[in-house]
Amino acid sequence: MADTESQRGRLVVVSNRIPKGDVPAGGLVFALHEALRGSGGLWIGAAAPTPTAEDGLTSIGSGNYDRATFALSDAEYEGYYLGYANSVLWPLFHHRPDLLQIGEGDFDAYVTVNRRVARAIANTVGPDDLIWIQDYHFLMVAHELRAMGLHNRIGIFLHIPFPSPTDIMALPQVAMMPAWLAAHDVVGLQTTRDVTSAAEMLRHDTKTQTLGQGAWSREGRVFSVLNFPIGIDAAGFEASAARAPAPDLQMAPNAPLLLGVDRLDYTKGLVHRFEAFDAYLSARDDASPRPTFLQIAPPSREDVEAYQDIREELERTAGSINGAHADLDWTPLRYVRRHVPRDRVAGLLRRADVALVTPLADGMNLVAKEFVAAQDGADPGVLILSHFAGASEQLKDALLVNPFDTASFARAIDEAVNMPLEERCARHAALRKVVFSTDIAWWMSSFIRSLRNSTPAAPAPWGNMEIS
Ligand code: ADQ
């Protein structure tokens, strides 16, 4: 970040996850680290839960910028993180209101934690500091900060999709959402689809008026809702993929490798993907090379019930597909639950002939962009991408599929496996251009520029919202 920008106040970033030691290369965490290194500032994130939690921040390191954690009690971790954030907001924002688990007291824990974070920020920021909140764990922090009288510029970026107007009705606190959003200066979303959904919600709020071009006004405050599609460190990922040793997969020469890399999450559409692969295997010509589909999906959020269910379903489906199609010398589907280090993922993404990135709902999906960056442009693989990944708005030269339509998804796999070199090269070149021109540095500077240029928050009659 330029010096002139650093003189205009620190950057204060809030995210639930914060690196406690060295910052791993690549990814969002690395990008935030780089931005803070340039501007100086403060990064606030959650400490590991302990039996009780006090207010305030604990420093966990300083250098070009400071890192600090806020405390979480075991009960708050259950209610705020596992409960409201991951069993209410996550399913709802991913269009799965059927998976909502509205636990008694979970919202109270969310309020407690958001208020603790807001108090900690209020006690540390100067008037020119920029506050940049990351994600759905902290939807209320800005509103709390305004209630405390802070006029700083505050932005939030939501990494997940924005719910449809119908889905959002399932949120018990739906009436509070417009006020939460309006407390920011800039609300950043991944796609134009998300901006449209947020606009739909705001249009139904009698206190909010549209000013056009993404700007809104609510009770005297002006704020923007805009899309900033997140990118990757494209050049860095390309280099690490090219450097990575070729993976030893013990496959027949010329056999196509299909690859999926995901966190194990019901939003990622893994069962639908397995079923489409099953349909493709059933329809394929026996004389053609035998493909291997390698799916890497280490479990996440295992304390949440819906995640245990998906794991069982996936294992059952994988077993029955191999039961139907495997031979003595061929296992068509390999499902790896073990965590695979990032450099090996890069090597696999380079080696893959087809990447299957087919979520049922996804804010962006960085694996799609990583696959494009990792491929060899002279003989590139094919990206199969779901319409429901935010990335599909930008990566239009992928083979776009509807993961619910098994038969056409299976035909897309066949098309990808057999795509002529010329078409693969043309598609890859177009995708690469997008991935490199809208990388993580572009995303970060676009958001921060927009936040700096936003109208400073005018004093407004903020009161504490009634929490029922
Ligand atoms: P996630 O849901 O975690 O992130 P995604 O964007 O696919 O999803 O992946 C994040 C990173 O984790 C990528 O760099 C990827 O390589 C890595 N990763 C994923 N699975 C892995 C595995 N099995 N082994 C090793 N590495 C793995 C949320 C939103 C997304 C949004 C991002 C960023 O849900 O929609 O794209 O934030 O905004």
Side-chain angles (χ1 to χ4, degrees):
M1 198 165 292
D3 277 343
T4 46
E5 290 195 358
S6 66
Q7 285 152 13
R8 281 189 269 157
R10 292 181 311 170
L11 179 62
V12 175
V13 172
V14 186
S15 63
N16 185 67
R17 187 170 298 169
I18 187 168
K20 306 288 186 318
D22 288 344
V23 181
L28 173 67
V29 162
F30 186 70
L32 292 173
H33 164 76
E34 285 294 301
L36 282 159
R37 255 170 26 106
S39 65
L42 172 65
W43 186 347
I44 300 171
T50 47
T52 56
E54 304 286 328
D55 268 5
L57 292 174
T58 304
S59 170
I60 56 164
S62 57
N64 287 13
Y65 69 92
D66 300 320
R67 267 187 241 169
T69 53
F70 63 87
L72 268 185
S73 72
D74 292 322
E76 285 163 358
Y77 176 75
E78 289 264 331
Y80 142 80
Y81 181 77
L82 296 177
Y84 198 73
N86 284 318
S87 302
V88 176
L89 295 175
W90 178 273
L92 191 71
F93 280 49
H94 287 89
H95 320 302
R96 293 298 303 270
D98 57 308
L99 292 179
L100 240 68
Q101 298 268 346
I102 301 176
E104 184 85 34
D106 287 357
F107 180 59
D108 293 343
Y110 188 81
V111 173
T112 303
V113 172
N114 273 243
R115 283 200 176 139
R116 179 176 305 139
V117 171
R119 275 195 298 273
I121 294 173
N123 286 335
T124 182
V125 289
D128 295 328
D129 289 350
L130 283 189
I131 301 166
W132 190 12
I133 298 163
Q134 305 291 320
D135 234 353
Y136 61 102
H137 311 89
F138 305 113
L139 291 175
M140 289 181 60
V141 166
H143 188 271
E144 291 298 313
L145 287 169
R146 299 300 183 209
M148 291 170 197
L150 243 78
H151 303 312
N152 294 58
R153 289 188 172 89
I154 309 176
I156 187 167
F157 185 78
L158 215 54
H159 292 259
I160 61 178
F162 200 88
S164 72
T166 315
D167 287 346
I168 207 167
M169 296 305 290
L171 186 70
Q173 294 73 28
V174 61
M176 298 179 187
M177 277 286 283
W180 291 350
L181 294 190
H184 303 90
D185 297 286
V186 178
V187 175
L189 303 173
Q190 298 270 28
T191 64
T192 58
R193 280 195 296 234
D194 298 319
V195 170
T196 305
S197 298
E200 272 294 292
M201 186 200 73
L202 291 171
R203 265 196 282 276
H204 283 98
D205 176 46
T206 51
K207 294 182 178 163
T208 306
Q209 290 85 40
T210 174
L211 303 176
Q213 297 192 313
W216 298 84
S217 151
R218 190 177 198 276
E219 297 191 307
R221 286 209 76 252
V222 171
F223 64 105
S224 306
V225 181
L226 301 167
N227 66 310
F228 301 87
I230 195 167
I232 60 164
D233 171 13
F237 201 84
E238 179 180 52
S240 83
R243 250 192 339 259
D248 178 12
L249 296 169
Q250 313 209 335
M251 286 168 58
N254 300 326
L257 174 66
L258 283 61
L259 180 66
V261 181
D262 304 80
R263 260 184 325 98
L264 182 52
D265 195 300
Y266 51 81
T267 61
K268 302 290 181 183
L270 298 175
V271 172
H272 294 74
R273 194 180 299 172
F274 283 14
E275 285 168 352
F277 183 61
D278 186 18
Y280 157 73
L281 289 177
S282 301
R284 79 180 251 292
D285 169 6
D286 270 349
S288 60
R290 291 162 157 185
T292 292
F293 171 22
L294 171 61
Q295 174 64 54
I296 301 172
S300 64
R301 302 177 194 163
E302 286 177 284
D303 297 332
V304 178
E305 198 181 307
Y307 287 75
Q308 295 154 11
D309 298 346
I310 181 76
R311 178 173 160 170
E312 282 166 23
E313 194 183 357
L314 206 56
E315 282 169 11
R316 237 190 354 261
T317 315
S320 91
I321 292 172
N322 278 330
H325 301 281
D327 212 330
L328 289 176
D329 55 351
W330 178 41
T331 308
L333 174 53
R334 299 189 199 171
Y335 167 38
V336 176
R337 271 200 348 235
R338 199 183 284 255
H339 174 79
V340 178
R342 206 173 158 71
D343 56 336
R344 296 202 64 194
V345 168
L348 284 164
L349 284 169
R350 186 170 180 84
R351 162 70 183 82
D353 299 290
V354 178
L356 293 163
V357 182
T358 55
L360 309 180
D362 216 335
M364 178 55 57
N365 197 301
L366 298 180
V367 176
K369 296 187 173 184
E370 289 167 352
F371 173 70
V372 172
Q375 283 292 306
D376 172 5
D379 184 13
V382 179
L383 174 62
I384 297 186
L385 182 62
S386 157
H387 286 292
F388 304 111
S392 70
E393 252 188 35
Q394 292 181 290
L395 303 182
K396 294 191 188 308
D397 286 277
L399 279 186
L400 294 176
V401 297
N402 171 0
F404 297 102
D405 182 351
T406 308
S408 71
F409 187 172
R411 281 195 296 278
I413 296 177
D414 185 61
E415 186 184 347
V417 167
N418 295 303
M419 190 178 284
L421 177 65
E422 198 181 335
E423 183 178 351
R424 283 190 276 124
C425 287
R427 285 178 183 267
H428 178 260
L431 293 171
R432 190 177 184 283
K433 209 164 157 186
V434 177
V435 169
F436 277 72
S437 63
T438 56
D439 67 358
I440 189 81
W442 169 87
W443 170 79
M444 179 111 32
S445 58
S446 310
F447 189 95
I448 291 176
R449 194 178 324 111
S450 175
L451 185 55
R452 281 200 196 285
N453 293 339
S454 61
T455 321
W462 292 91
N464 258 332
M465 197 180 292
E466 236 173 71
I467 309 292
S468 54

